[in-house]
Short mmCIF file of all heavy atoms in Angstrom, two decimals:
data_model
loop_
_atom_site.label_atom_id
_atom_site.label_comp_id
_atom_site.label_asym_id
_atom_site.label_seq_id
_atom_site.Cartn_x
_atom_site.Cartn_y
_atom_site.Cartn_z
N MET A 1 193.70 109.35 191.94
CA MET A 1 193.52 107.90 192.12
C MET A 1 194.86 107.19 191.93
O MET A 1 195.52 107.37 190.93
CB MET A 1 192.49 107.37 191.12
CG MET A 1 192.15 105.91 191.35
SD MET A 1 190.77 105.38 190.33
CE MET A 1 191.60 105.16 188.75
N THR A 2 195.26 106.43 192.92
CA THR A 2 196.51 105.69 192.82
C THR A 2 196.21 104.21 192.61
O THR A 2 195.64 103.55 193.47
CB THR A 2 197.35 105.85 194.10
OG1 THR A 2 197.50 107.23 194.37
CG2 THR A 2 198.71 105.23 193.93
N GLU A 3 196.60 103.75 191.45
CA GLU A 3 196.42 102.33 191.19
C GLU A 3 197.71 101.60 191.50
O GLU A 3 198.80 102.13 191.32
CB GLU A 3 196.03 102.10 189.73
CG GLU A 3 194.63 102.59 189.42
CD GLU A 3 194.27 102.35 187.97
OE1 GLU A 3 195.08 102.71 187.11
OE2 GLU A 3 193.20 101.80 187.71
N LYS A 4 197.57 100.37 191.96
CA LYS A 4 198.75 99.58 192.29
C LYS A 4 198.80 98.33 191.44
O LYS A 4 197.77 97.85 190.97
CB LYS A 4 198.73 99.21 193.78
CG LYS A 4 198.87 100.44 194.66
CD LYS A 4 198.98 100.05 196.11
CE LYS A 4 199.26 101.28 196.96
NZ LYS A 4 199.41 100.95 198.38
N ALA A 5 200.01 97.82 191.27
CA ALA A 5 200.18 96.62 190.47
C ALA A 5 200.61 95.46 191.35
O ALA A 5 201.43 95.62 192.26
CB ALA A 5 201.24 96.86 189.39
N CYS A 6 200.03 94.29 191.08
CA CYS A 6 200.35 93.08 191.83
C CYS A 6 201.76 92.62 191.50
O CYS A 6 202.14 92.56 190.34
CB CYS A 6 199.34 92.00 191.47
SG CYS A 6 199.70 90.40 192.20
N ARG A 7 202.53 92.29 192.53
CA ARG A 7 203.90 91.82 192.29
C ARG A 7 203.91 90.40 191.72
O ARG A 7 204.89 89.98 191.12
CB ARG A 7 204.70 91.85 193.59
CG ARG A 7 205.06 93.26 194.04
CD ARG A 7 206.13 93.23 195.12
NE ARG A 7 206.57 94.57 195.46
CZ ARG A 7 206.03 95.30 196.45
NH1 ARG A 7 205.07 94.80 197.19
NH2 ARG A 7 206.47 96.50 196.70
N ASN A 8 202.86 89.67 191.92
CA ASN A 8 202.77 88.29 191.42
C ASN A 8 202.43 88.25 189.94
O ASN A 8 203.16 87.70 189.13
CB ASN A 8 201.69 87.53 192.18
CG ASN A 8 202.27 86.72 193.32
OD1 ASN A 8 203.48 86.53 193.40
ND2 ASN A 8 201.40 86.26 194.19
N CYS A 9 201.25 88.82 189.59
CA CYS A 9 200.73 88.64 188.24
C CYS A 9 200.69 89.96 187.46
O CYS A 9 200.29 89.96 186.30
CB CYS A 9 199.33 88.03 188.31
SG CYS A 9 198.11 89.12 189.05
N HIS A 10 201.07 91.08 188.09
CA HIS A 10 201.13 92.39 187.44
C HIS A 10 199.77 93.01 187.16
O HIS A 10 199.68 94.02 186.48
CB HIS A 10 201.97 92.34 186.16
CG HIS A 10 203.43 92.11 186.41
ND1 HIS A 10 204.40 92.34 185.45
CD2 HIS A 10 204.09 91.69 187.51
CE1 HIS A 10 205.59 92.04 185.96
NE2 HIS A 10 205.43 91.65 187.21
N MET A 11 198.70 92.42 187.61
CA MET A 11 197.37 93.02 187.46
C MET A 11 197.33 94.37 188.17
O MET A 11 197.82 94.50 189.28
CB MET A 11 196.31 92.08 188.05
CG MET A 11 194.94 92.71 188.28
SD MET A 11 193.94 92.95 186.80
CE MET A 11 193.08 91.39 186.67
N ILE A 12 196.77 95.37 187.49
CA ILE A 12 196.64 96.69 188.10
C ILE A 12 195.26 96.80 188.74
O ILE A 12 194.25 96.51 188.11
CB ILE A 12 196.84 97.79 187.05
CG1 ILE A 12 198.28 97.74 186.53
CG2 ILE A 12 196.52 99.16 187.63
CD1 ILE A 12 198.52 98.60 185.32
N THR A 13 195.25 97.20 189.99
CA THR A 13 194.00 97.27 190.73
C THR A 13 193.94 98.55 191.57
O THR A 13 194.96 98.98 192.11
CB THR A 13 193.84 96.03 191.65
OG1 THR A 13 192.71 96.24 192.48
CG2 THR A 13 195.07 95.83 192.52
N PRO A 14 192.76 99.18 191.65
CA PRO A 14 192.62 100.35 192.52
C PRO A 14 192.45 99.95 193.99
O PRO A 14 192.51 100.78 194.87
CB PRO A 14 191.35 101.04 191.99
CG PRO A 14 190.58 99.94 191.35
CD PRO A 14 191.57 98.90 190.87
N GLY A 15 192.21 98.67 194.24
CA GLY A 15 192.00 98.21 195.62
C GLY A 15 193.30 97.86 196.31
O GLY A 15 194.38 98.19 195.83
N SER A 16 193.20 97.18 197.43
CA SER A 16 194.39 96.83 198.21
C SER A 16 194.71 95.35 198.12
O SER A 16 195.68 94.87 198.71
CB SER A 16 194.22 97.24 199.67
OG SER A 16 193.06 96.64 200.21
N VAL A 17 193.88 94.60 197.39
CA VAL A 17 194.11 93.17 197.21
C VAL A 17 193.98 92.84 195.72
O VAL A 17 193.08 93.34 195.05
CB VAL A 17 193.10 92.33 198.02
CG1 VAL A 17 193.26 90.85 197.73
CG2 VAL A 17 193.25 92.60 199.51
N CYS A 18 194.89 92.02 195.21
CA CYS A 18 194.82 91.62 193.81
C CYS A 18 193.58 90.76 193.58
O CYS A 18 193.37 89.78 194.29
CB CYS A 18 196.08 90.84 193.44
SG CYS A 18 195.99 90.14 191.79
N PRO A 19 192.74 91.11 192.57
CA PRO A 19 191.54 90.33 192.32
C PRO A 19 191.84 88.97 191.69
O PRO A 19 190.99 88.09 191.70
CB PRO A 19 190.74 91.20 191.35
CG PRO A 19 191.74 92.12 190.74
CD PRO A 19 192.85 92.29 191.71
N VAL A 20 193.04 88.78 191.16
CA VAL A 20 193.38 87.52 190.51
C VAL A 20 193.97 86.53 191.51
O VAL A 20 193.47 85.41 191.67
CB VAL A 20 194.36 87.73 189.35
CG1 VAL A 20 194.78 86.40 188.74
CG2 VAL A 20 193.74 88.63 188.30
N CYS A 21 195.03 86.93 192.21
CA CYS A 21 195.68 85.96 193.11
C CYS A 21 195.44 86.27 194.58
O CYS A 21 196.04 85.61 195.43
CB CYS A 21 197.16 85.80 192.77
SG CYS A 21 198.04 87.29 192.42
N LYS A 22 194.59 87.24 194.87
CA LYS A 22 194.15 87.52 196.25
C LYS A 22 195.29 87.86 197.20
O LYS A 22 195.17 87.67 198.39
CB LYS A 22 193.36 86.31 196.82
CG LYS A 22 192.36 85.70 195.88
CD LYS A 22 191.21 86.61 195.59
CE LYS A 22 190.18 85.90 194.71
NZ LYS A 22 189.27 86.85 194.07
N THR A 23 196.39 88.35 196.64
CA THR A 23 197.49 88.74 197.51
C THR A 23 197.43 90.25 197.74
O THR A 23 196.89 91.00 196.93
CB THR A 23 198.85 88.36 196.89
OG1 THR A 23 199.88 88.87 197.74
CG2 THR A 23 199.04 88.99 195.52
N SER A 24 197.98 90.69 198.86
CA SER A 24 198.06 92.13 199.11
C SER A 24 199.46 92.64 198.80
O SER A 24 199.84 93.74 199.19
CB SER A 24 197.68 92.44 200.56
OG SER A 24 198.51 91.73 201.44
N SER A 25 200.24 91.82 198.10
CA SER A 25 201.59 92.22 197.72
C SER A 25 201.53 93.09 196.47
O SER A 25 201.77 92.63 195.36
CB SER A 25 202.45 90.97 197.47
OG SER A 25 203.74 91.36 197.03
N LEU A 26 201.19 94.36 196.68
CA LEU A 26 201.02 95.29 195.57
C LEU A 26 202.10 96.36 195.61
O LEU A 26 202.63 96.68 196.67
CB LEU A 26 199.64 95.96 195.65
CG LEU A 26 198.44 95.02 195.77
CD1 LEU A 26 197.17 95.84 195.91
CD2 LEU A 26 198.33 94.11 194.56
N SER A 27 202.42 96.90 194.44
CA SER A 27 203.43 97.94 194.36
C SER A 27 202.88 99.15 193.64
O SER A 27 202.19 99.01 192.62
CB SER A 27 204.66 97.41 193.61
OG SER A 27 205.55 98.48 193.34
N SER A 28 203.15 100.34 194.16
CA SER A 28 202.73 101.55 193.46
C SER A 28 203.82 102.02 192.51
O SER A 28 203.66 103.00 191.79
CB SER A 28 202.41 102.65 194.48
OG SER A 28 203.49 102.87 195.34
N ASP A 29 204.94 101.28 192.47
CA ASP A 29 206.07 101.64 191.62
C ASP A 29 206.09 100.73 190.39
O ASP A 29 206.75 99.70 190.38
CB ASP A 29 207.36 101.51 192.42
CG ASP A 29 208.55 102.09 191.67
OD1 ASP A 29 208.35 102.69 190.60
OD2 ASP A 29 209.68 101.92 192.15
N TRP A 30 205.29 101.10 189.38
CA TRP A 30 205.23 100.28 188.17
C TRP A 30 205.23 101.20 186.96
O TRP A 30 204.98 102.40 187.07
CB TRP A 30 203.98 99.40 188.18
CG TRP A 30 202.69 100.12 188.41
CD1 TRP A 30 202.11 100.39 189.61
CD2 TRP A 30 201.81 100.68 187.42
NE1 TRP A 30 200.93 101.07 189.42
CE2 TRP A 30 200.73 101.27 188.10
CE3 TRP A 30 201.86 100.73 186.02
CZ2 TRP A 30 199.69 101.91 187.42
CZ3 TRP A 30 200.82 101.38 185.35
CH2 TRP A 30 199.76 101.95 186.05
N ALA A 31 205.55 100.64 185.79
CA ALA A 31 205.67 101.45 184.59
C ALA A 31 205.03 100.75 183.40
O ALA A 31 205.27 99.57 183.17
CB ALA A 31 207.13 101.72 184.29
N GLY A 32 204.22 101.49 182.67
CA GLY A 32 203.62 100.97 181.45
C GLY A 32 202.55 99.94 181.75
O GLY A 32 202.59 99.28 182.76
N TYR A 33 201.58 99.83 180.86
CA TYR A 33 200.58 98.78 181.07
C TYR A 33 199.98 98.33 179.76
O TYR A 33 200.07 99.02 178.74
CB TYR A 33 199.48 99.24 182.03
CG TYR A 33 198.59 100.34 181.51
CD1 TYR A 33 197.48 100.05 180.73
CD2 TYR A 33 198.87 101.67 181.81
CE1 TYR A 33 196.67 101.06 180.25
CE2 TYR A 33 198.06 102.68 181.34
CZ TYR A 33 196.97 102.38 180.56
OH TYR A 33 196.16 103.39 180.08
N VAL A 34 199.43 97.14 179.78
CA VAL A 34 198.69 96.62 178.63
C VAL A 34 197.31 96.20 179.11
O VAL A 34 197.15 95.83 180.27
CB VAL A 34 199.39 95.40 177.99
CG1 VAL A 34 200.64 95.82 177.26
CG2 VAL A 34 199.71 94.34 179.03
N ILE A 35 196.34 96.30 178.23
CA ILE A 35 195.00 95.82 178.56
C ILE A 35 194.78 94.53 177.78
O ILE A 35 194.86 94.51 176.56
CB ILE A 35 193.92 96.86 178.22
CG1 ILE A 35 194.09 98.07 179.17
CG2 ILE A 35 192.53 96.26 178.37
CD1 ILE A 35 193.21 99.25 178.81
N ILE A 36 194.56 93.45 178.52
CA ILE A 36 194.36 92.14 177.91
C ILE A 36 192.87 91.81 177.93
O ILE A 36 192.26 91.74 178.99
CB ILE A 36 195.14 91.05 178.69
CG1 ILE A 36 196.64 91.40 178.77
CG2 ILE A 36 194.92 89.68 178.06
CD1 ILE A 36 197.36 91.38 177.45
N LEU A 37 192.30 91.64 176.74
CA LEU A 37 190.88 91.33 176.66
C LEU A 37 190.64 89.84 176.48
O LEU A 37 189.68 89.29 176.98
CB LEU A 37 190.24 92.09 175.49
CG LEU A 37 190.31 93.63 175.59
CD1 LEU A 37 189.75 94.26 174.32
CD2 LEU A 37 189.54 94.12 176.80
N ASP A 38 191.54 89.21 175.75
CA ASP A 38 191.38 87.80 175.41
C ASP A 38 192.70 87.07 175.61
O ASP A 38 193.47 86.90 174.65
CB ASP A 38 190.91 87.70 173.95
CG ASP A 38 190.51 86.28 173.56
OD1 ASP A 38 190.62 85.38 174.41
OD2 ASP A 38 190.11 86.08 172.41
N PRO A 39 193.00 86.66 176.84
CA PRO A 39 194.31 86.08 177.16
C PRO A 39 194.66 84.87 176.30
O PRO A 39 195.82 84.67 175.94
CB PRO A 39 194.17 85.66 178.64
CG PRO A 39 193.03 86.44 179.15
CD PRO A 39 192.11 86.70 178.00
N ALA A 40 193.67 84.06 175.94
CA ALA A 40 193.94 82.83 175.20
C ALA A 40 194.48 83.13 173.81
O ALA A 40 195.22 82.33 173.23
CB ALA A 40 192.68 81.99 175.11
N ASN A 41 194.13 84.28 173.26
CA ASN A 41 194.54 84.61 171.90
C ASN A 41 195.51 85.79 171.85
O ASN A 41 195.66 86.43 170.82
CB ASN A 41 193.31 84.91 171.03
CG ASN A 41 192.51 83.66 170.76
OD1 ASN A 41 193.04 82.68 170.26
ND2 ASN A 41 191.25 83.67 171.13
N SER A 42 196.15 86.07 172.97
CA SER A 42 197.07 87.21 173.02
C SER A 42 198.49 86.74 173.25
O SER A 42 198.79 86.07 174.24
CB SER A 42 196.64 88.17 174.13
OG SER A 42 197.68 89.09 174.38
N ALA A 43 199.39 87.08 172.32
CA ALA A 43 200.79 86.71 172.47
C ALA A 43 201.40 87.43 173.67
O ALA A 43 202.27 86.88 174.36
CB ALA A 43 201.56 87.05 171.20
N ILE A 44 200.93 88.65 173.92
CA ILE A 44 201.45 89.40 175.07
C ILE A 44 201.04 88.71 176.37
O ILE A 44 201.84 88.55 177.28
CB ILE A 44 200.90 90.85 175.05
CG1 ILE A 44 201.30 91.55 173.75
CG2 ILE A 44 201.42 91.63 176.25
CD1 ILE A 44 200.58 92.86 173.52
N ALA A 45 199.79 88.28 176.43
CA ALA A 45 199.30 87.60 177.63
C ALA A 45 200.10 86.34 177.89
O ALA A 45 200.46 86.04 179.03
CB ALA A 45 197.82 87.28 177.48
N GLN A 46 200.40 85.59 176.82
CA GLN A 46 201.15 84.36 177.00
C GLN A 46 202.57 84.64 177.47
O GLN A 46 203.11 83.94 178.31
CB GLN A 46 201.14 83.55 175.70
CG GLN A 46 199.79 82.82 175.51
CD GLN A 46 199.55 82.41 174.07
OE1 GLN A 46 200.48 82.11 173.35
NE2 GLN A 46 198.28 82.40 173.67
N LYS A 47 203.15 85.72 176.93
CA LYS A 47 204.50 86.08 177.32
C LYS A 47 204.55 86.50 178.79
O LYS A 47 205.51 86.22 179.50
CB LYS A 47 205.02 87.21 176.42
CG LYS A 47 206.49 87.45 176.56
CD LYS A 47 206.97 88.46 175.53
CE LYS A 47 208.48 88.69 175.70
NZ LYS A 47 208.96 89.73 174.79
N LEU A 48 203.50 87.18 179.23
CA LEU A 48 203.47 87.67 180.61
C LEU A 48 202.82 86.66 181.56
O LEU A 48 202.65 86.93 182.73
CB LEU A 48 202.71 89.00 180.68
CG LEU A 48 203.34 90.17 179.91
CD1 LEU A 48 202.44 91.40 179.99
CD2 LEU A 48 204.71 90.50 180.47
N ASN A 49 202.42 85.49 181.03
CA ASN A 49 201.77 84.46 181.85
C ASN A 49 200.46 84.95 182.45
O ASN A 49 200.17 84.72 183.62
CB ASN A 49 202.71 84.02 182.98
CG ASN A 49 203.46 82.77 182.59
OD1 ASN A 49 202.94 81.93 181.84
ND2 ASN A 49 204.68 82.64 183.08
N ILE A 50 199.66 85.61 181.65
CA ILE A 50 198.39 86.15 182.10
C ILE A 50 197.27 85.22 181.69
O ILE A 50 197.20 84.78 180.54
CB ILE A 50 198.17 87.57 181.50
CG1 ILE A 50 199.14 88.55 182.15
CG2 ILE A 50 196.73 88.01 181.67
CD1 ILE A 50 199.25 89.86 181.41
N SER A 51 196.38 84.90 182.63
CA SER A 51 195.29 83.99 182.30
C SER A 51 193.92 84.65 182.46
O SER A 51 192.92 84.09 182.04
CB SER A 51 195.37 82.74 183.18
OG SER A 51 195.36 83.12 184.54
N ALA A 52 193.86 85.84 183.06
CA ALA A 52 192.57 86.52 183.24
C ALA A 52 192.60 87.86 182.52
O ALA A 52 193.63 88.53 182.51
CB ALA A 52 192.30 86.73 184.73
N PRO A 53 191.48 88.27 181.90
CA PRO A 53 191.42 89.56 181.24
C PRO A 53 191.59 90.69 182.24
O PRO A 53 191.17 90.56 183.40
CB PRO A 53 190.01 89.61 180.62
CG PRO A 53 189.45 88.25 180.75
CD PRO A 53 190.21 87.55 181.82
N GLY A 54 192.19 91.79 181.81
CA GLY A 54 192.35 92.92 182.71
C GLY A 54 193.48 93.83 182.27
O GLY A 54 193.99 93.73 181.16
N LYS A 55 193.87 94.70 183.16
CA LYS A 55 194.90 95.68 182.89
C LYS A 55 196.16 95.27 183.66
O LYS A 55 196.10 95.02 184.87
CB LYS A 55 194.38 97.05 183.37
CG LYS A 55 195.20 98.24 183.00
CD LYS A 55 194.39 99.49 183.36
CE LYS A 55 195.26 100.68 183.59
NZ LYS A 55 194.48 101.84 184.08
N TYR A 56 197.29 95.18 182.95
CA TYR A 56 198.50 94.66 183.57
C TYR A 56 199.68 95.60 183.37
O TYR A 56 199.87 96.15 182.28
CB TYR A 56 198.86 93.29 182.97
CG TYR A 56 197.87 92.21 183.32
CD1 TYR A 56 196.73 92.04 182.55
CD2 TYR A 56 198.06 91.40 184.43
CE1 TYR A 56 195.80 91.06 182.88
CE2 TYR A 56 197.14 90.42 184.76
CZ TYR A 56 196.02 90.25 183.99
OH TYR A 56 195.09 89.30 184.31
N ALA A 57 200.47 95.75 184.42
CA ALA A 57 201.67 96.56 184.35
C ALA A 57 202.76 95.79 183.61
O ALA A 57 202.87 94.57 183.74
CB ALA A 57 202.15 96.92 185.75
N LEU A 58 203.55 96.50 182.81
CA LEU A 58 204.65 95.84 182.11
C LEU A 58 205.84 95.63 183.04
O LEU A 58 206.52 94.62 182.97
CB LEU A 58 205.08 96.69 180.90
CG LEU A 58 204.07 96.77 179.76
CD1 LEU A 58 204.55 97.72 178.69
CD2 LEU A 58 203.80 95.40 179.17
N ARG A 59 206.09 96.61 183.88
CA ARG A 59 207.20 96.48 184.82
C ARG A 59 206.74 96.83 186.23
O ARG A 59 206.10 97.86 186.43
CB ARG A 59 208.36 97.40 184.41
CG ARG A 59 209.01 96.96 183.12
CD ARG A 59 210.07 97.94 182.71
NE ARG A 59 211.16 98.01 183.70
CZ ARG A 59 212.19 98.86 183.59
NH1 ARG A 59 212.26 99.67 182.58
NH2 ARG A 59 213.12 98.85 184.49
N VAL A 60 207.03 95.97 187.17
CA VAL A 60 206.69 96.21 188.58
C VAL A 60 207.97 96.11 189.38
O VAL A 60 208.74 95.16 189.23
CB VAL A 60 205.68 95.19 189.10
CG1 VAL A 60 205.33 95.49 190.57
CG2 VAL A 60 204.43 95.19 188.26
N ARG A 61 208.22 97.11 190.21
CA ARG A 61 209.42 97.07 191.04
C ARG A 61 209.09 96.71 192.48
O ARG A 61 207.96 96.81 192.88
CB ARG A 61 210.15 98.41 191.00
CG ARG A 61 210.79 98.66 189.66
CD ARG A 61 211.62 99.92 189.68
NE ARG A 61 211.74 100.44 188.34
CZ ARG A 61 210.95 101.39 187.84
NH1 ARG A 61 210.01 101.91 188.60
NH2 ARG A 61 211.10 101.80 186.62
ZN1 ZN B 1 198.01 89.17 191.29
#
């Protein structure tokens, strides 16, 4: 299974379109990830500008 990361918001998705920003600008070249359950109370989410719960790549090329 190849998951891809959105170049916009870094959301990792198994599909071909980002479920958050609906873009197909995805990259299979990403490294590391965090799982955000509660964006409003997560310092990591705020640092990465994440507003929806999910799995996010730390680095996307
Ligand atoms: Zn996105």
Side-chain angles (χ1 to χ4, degrees):
M1 186 172 78
T2 307
E3 290 180 311
K4 294 186 174 182
C6 174
R7 288 194 174 92
N8 264 347
C9 66
H10 291 195
M11 166 76 88
I12 295 169
T13 172
S16 56
V17 175
C18 173
V20 176
C21 43
K22 316 293 184 198
T23 175
S24 58
S25 177
L26 308 176
S27 171
S28 55
D29 190 7
W30 53 271
Y33 67 86
V34 288
I35 293 172
I36 304 294
L37 298 175
D38 188 359
N41 289 305
S42 166
I44 302 168
Q46 282 161 32
K47 192 173 180 184
L48 297 176
N49 264 328
I50 289 166
S51 56
K55 189 171 156 186
Y56 293 85
L58 292 175
R59 292 176 63 183
V60 181
R61 289 186 205 95

